[in-house]
């Protein structure tokens, strides 16, 4: 016989946390592999998105999606500067974006939030 009743905690699902600790795992002349740590999934399996934009002109060059925050960016021009935005998405919405800048093969620090904050 059970002496104490079972206790359940129901936590509502929410938006996922931002990917963090983004690093370049492999760098070649025209490609990069960016790997991030996934944040809390908000109670629902997330999909991760990467959007890369060439700084001049401000042109989208890559849109990638994956089930883990691990992206291979290929066919990059070695002389261009790129802005990279990485987000997590679940059925409740998108995380706050994490931003990286890539200039001449050098990757700037990952920052969660909005450019210019």
């Amino acid at each position: 016989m059970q002496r104490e009743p079972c206790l359940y905690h129901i936590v509502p699902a929410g938006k996922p946390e931002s990917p963090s600790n983004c690093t370049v795992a492999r760098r070649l002349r025209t490609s990069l592999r960016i790997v991030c740590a996934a944040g809390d999934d908000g109670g629902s399996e997330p999909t991760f998105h990467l959007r890369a934009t060439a700084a001049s002109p401000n042109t989208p060059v890559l849109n990638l999606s994956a089930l883990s925050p691990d992206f291979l960016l290929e066919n990059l021009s070695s002389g261009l500067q790129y802005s990279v935005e990485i987000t997590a998405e679940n059925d409740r919405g998108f995380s706050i974006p994490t931003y990286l800048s890539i200039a001449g093969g050098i990757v700037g620090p990952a920052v969660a939030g909005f450019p210019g904050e």
Side-chain angles (χ1 to χ4, degrees):
M1 177 186 261
Q2 187 173 348
R3 293 182 183 198
E4 293 186 32
C6 295
L7 180 62
Y8 294 96
H9 294 279
I10 299 173
V11 179
K15 294 178 183 178
E17 289 182 350
S18 301
S20 62
N21 197 28
C22 298
T23 59
V24 175
R26 183 182 60 184
R27 181 182 311 160
L28 301 173
R29 201 173 117 243
T30 60
S31 66
L32 293 171
R33 179 174 173 214
I34 296 176
V35 179
C36 303
D40 182 75
D41 63 12
S44 182
E45 186 175 347
T47 301
F48 297 90
H49 304 283
L50 179 144
R51 185 178 72 158
T53 309
S56 180
N58 193 9
T59 315
V61 292
L62 283 174
N63 279 303
L64 304 172
S65 295
L67 295 177
S68 66
D70 186 338
F71 299 97
L72 180 60
L73 289 67
E74 297 181 291
N75 302 316
L76 301 174
S77 296
S78 59
L80 287 181
Q81 181 173 345
Y82 296 93
S83 296
V84 176
E85 175 186 294
I86 302 169
T87 56
E89 176 191 20
N90 66 14
D91 56 357
R92 296 291 182 156
F94 284 88
S95 69
I96 294 172
T98 297
Y99 293 96
L100 293 166
S101 60
I102 302 168
I106 299 170
V107 179
V111 178
F114 299 96
E117 282 190 344

